[in-house]
Amino acid sequence: MRVLITGGAGFIGSHVTRALAAAGHDVSVLDCLHPAAHQPGSDVREVHGVPVRRGDLRDRDTVESALAGVDAVVHQAAMVGMGVDLADLPAYVGNNDLATAVLLAGMARLRVPRLVLAGSMVVYGEGAYACADHGPVRPAPRELADLAVGQFEPRCPHCASLLDPGTVDEDARLDPRSVYAATKLAQEHLTAAWARESGSAAVALRYHNVYGPGMPRDTPYSGVAAIFRSALERGEAPQVYEDGRQRRDFVHVTDVAAANVAALASLDARPPGLRAYNVASGEPRTVADMAATLAAAMDGLAPVVTGAFRAGDVRHVVACPRRARDELGFTAQVPFAAGLAEFATAPLRA
Ligand code: UD1
């Protein structure tokens, strides 16, 4: 297929570009080289031999010329992470939602009927929980008074007792809790509307915590794996927030790329509409565990569990990877220990 990859010069996008080209697709890349992901003044001209067309997805002419002759779009371009403060709000909405709207309008006009969207687990807010008395519940954001005294587990919205965490599946209630999360969920809604109205097939891949070679270094937009790796490189101990027992699913970027290849291959066999999939390793770990494993692999200082917290962080987000396995044939291949051992010395992007 002739596939346009938006954001194909970024951390995840460049791995997706390589994987789709290796799978035999005729790929092209459109990327604005956003300063949050690329060094100012950087001029990336190709990714794994694929030329990069530099342009802004919010611009209709740019998008339509990139879409000419294309069979499918793999939409990775986005502004990611927690951001700095609310001054980032228009940039998130512009880069994530307005850009997606311009892309979808162009796909409708030029009749490009297939889309794979890079989604995020942030659309869930907190993961899945059960109360001993009330069964499955969705906890409200944690109270600052609890966090301040080191009570990090969320409470039952009915009886305030502490909850047991479980795995979150794609039918979980969606509860975006940050500007970024709201823009990632809006992308899914816009894509679903486009798919229904144009009779097209689309998949949203809800990435869990992605890490691997080419991850951006320590910036306000970086994930915890890059923050810890940068600290260790400076000879500092990783600072683990809360009590370190919060859990995430750390999934290797080459597995994420493989999920994109599988999702694209699935499109022709599905009815019009959008379907979402968790993209996860299925091997959840605590943040303290990840810090200790990376510190050992880098022969660095042991992590420090600080008890500090970020208001707005969720406690546990652990994916159920079953739907992607059953419907896309996708199972992550990189084991946690091997992935982190490689990540310890992998190049990062400046
Ligand atoms: C957040 C974003 C997510 C994004 C990811 C990486 C939201 C709600 N979530 O998810 O979309 O993909 O960041 O940019 O916007 N931690 C430490 N020490 C640190 C930094 C973080 O212990 O120095 C802890 C955090 O408290 C958290 C965990 O590590 O418990 C993971 O943090 P992070 O990598 O930022 O990812 P998420 O919170 O899962």
Side-chain angles (χ1 to χ4, degrees), residues 14-338:
S14 58
H15 286 272
V16 171
T17 299
R18 176 162 53 188
L20 287 169
H25 294 291
D26 178 1
V27 296
S28 56
V29 166
L30 175 62
D31 198 301
C32 73
L33 305 180
H34 194 280
H38 299 267
Q39 256 181 331
S42 74
D43 186 21
V44 182
R45 287 163 191 262
E46 53 131 60
V47 176
H48 305 300
V50 178
V52 174
R53 179 197 291 251
R54 184 173 186 170
D56 192 326
L57 273 175
R58 293 168 295 188
D59 179 66
R60 178 184 141 160
D61 292 342
T62 300
V63 167
E64 293 201 350
S65 84
L67 283 173
V70 155
D71 302 307
V73 175
V74 175
H75 182 30
Q76 306 288 324
M79 198 170 143
V80 301
M82 303 273 279
V84 181
D85 57 34
L86 287 175
D88 280 339
L89 210 160
Y92 274 106
V93 172
N95 285 293
N96 297 355
D97 297 335
L98 176 58
T100 299
V102 175
L103 175 68
L104 294 171
M107 291 176 70
R109 211 175 80 76
L110 298 180
R111 300 191 194 287
V112 180
R114 301 175 190 85
L115 178 67
V116 177
L117 170 70
S120 172
M121 57 79 172
V122 292
V123 298
Y124 299 121
E126 275 288 355
Y129 293 87
C131 169
D133 292 326
H134 297 95
V137 290
R138 300 293 292 173
R142 296 175 293 171
E143 298 286 346
L144 283 180
D146 273 341
L147 297 171
V149 295
Q151 175 46 64
F152 298 116
E153 296 299 333
R155 294 179 182 277
C156 175
H158 308 295
C159 66
S161 54
L162 300 178
L163 298 171
D164 290 327
T167 58
V168 70
D169 68 26
E170 292 83 353
D171 294 326
R173 201 187 75 186
L174 303 177
D175 182 17
R177 292 185 176 189
S178 66
V179 168
Y180 170 63
T183 64
K184 290 308 285 183
L185 182 53
Q187 282 188 318
E188 288 196 21
H189 290 323
L190 296 170
T191 300
W194 163 82
R196 270 192 309 272
E197 288 181 34
S198 66
S200 307
V203 160
L205 297 175
R206 293 180 181 156
Y207 302 161
H208 284 253
N209 292 65
V210 185
Y211 73 98
M215 197 171 180
R217 273 175 205 284
D218 188 344
T219 75
Y221 308 94
S222 304
V224 67
I227 293 172
F228 288 171
R229 172 92 199 241
S230 301
L232 286 159
E233 247 167 22
R234 294 191 300 265
E236 297 165 11
Q239 304 287 304
V240 178
Y241 297 153
E242 306 188 10
D243 56 5
R245 290 200 283 263
Q246 64 273 39
R247 293 192 308 153
R248 293 292 187 278
D249 187 306
F250 296 98
V251 58
H252 195 269
V253 67
T254 55
D255 283 324
V256 173
N260 277 272
V261 175
L264 183 65
S266 78
L267 288 177
D268 282 342
R270 50 177 77 240
L274 173 73
R275 190 147 171 88
Y277 297 89
N278 283 327
V279 174
S281 71
E283 265 195 284
R285 287 289 190 282
T286 66
V287 171
D289 200 9
M290 195 274 284
T293 307
L294 189 60
M298 292 177 68
D299 207 11
L301 288 181
V304 178
V305 178
T306 64
F309 57 86
R310 298 190 301 203
D313 263 356
V314 296
R315 177 66 173 168
H316 307 288
V317 194
V318 173
C320 174
R322 199 179 305 131
R323 184 187 284 184
R325 184 197 64 198
D326 293 351
E327 297 183 17
L328 301 178
F330 166 75
T331 309
Q333 299 297 314
V334 181
F336 178 76

